[in-house]
Amino acid sequence: RLTRIEGLGTLCNLQELYIGHNGIEVLEGLENLTKLDTLDATKNRIKRIENLGTLTALTDLWLGSNDVGSFEDAEGVRELPRLTTLYLE
């Protein structure tokens, strides 16, 4: 199981990333993925939505079954101008 997001910096044309069902605690290492439009990180251990400010093409963010406990922990979505779908079940 993945516990960290690493080694994706050179994938600058990546549009979709599915990293669900792991042990990831922090959304990090995605800064260079500026063409990413879908990020599915369901069923991890993420507590805060943060470090996504450079993902300006992101439209779909799936974070269900994580540890985001309040809307204050989800403040990072305000940095995503094209976001149309946010899943936090």
Side-chain angles (χ1 to χ4, degrees), residues 32-50:
N32 294 333
L33 306 182
T34 56
K35 294 184 181 177
L36 195 70
D37 60 47
T38 301
L39 174 58
D40 183 342
T42 56
K43 294 191 179 181
N44 277 285
R45 296 179 181 152
I46 298 164
K47 295 180 181 173
R48 294 187 56 78
I49 300 174
E50 57 189 353

Side-chain angles (χ1 to χ4, degrees), residues 54-88:
T54 61
L55 304 183
T56 55
L58 197 68
T59 58
D60 294 272
L61 179 58
W62 296 80
L63 291 173
S65 298
N66 274 287
D67 295 328
V68 178
S70 68
F71 282 111
E72 288 82 24
D73 296 333
E75 288 285 323
V77 298
R78 293 181 186 211
E79 301 174 347
L80 304 170
R82 295 189 179 168
L83 191 69
T84 58
T85 302
L86 175 62
Y87 182 74
L88 289 174

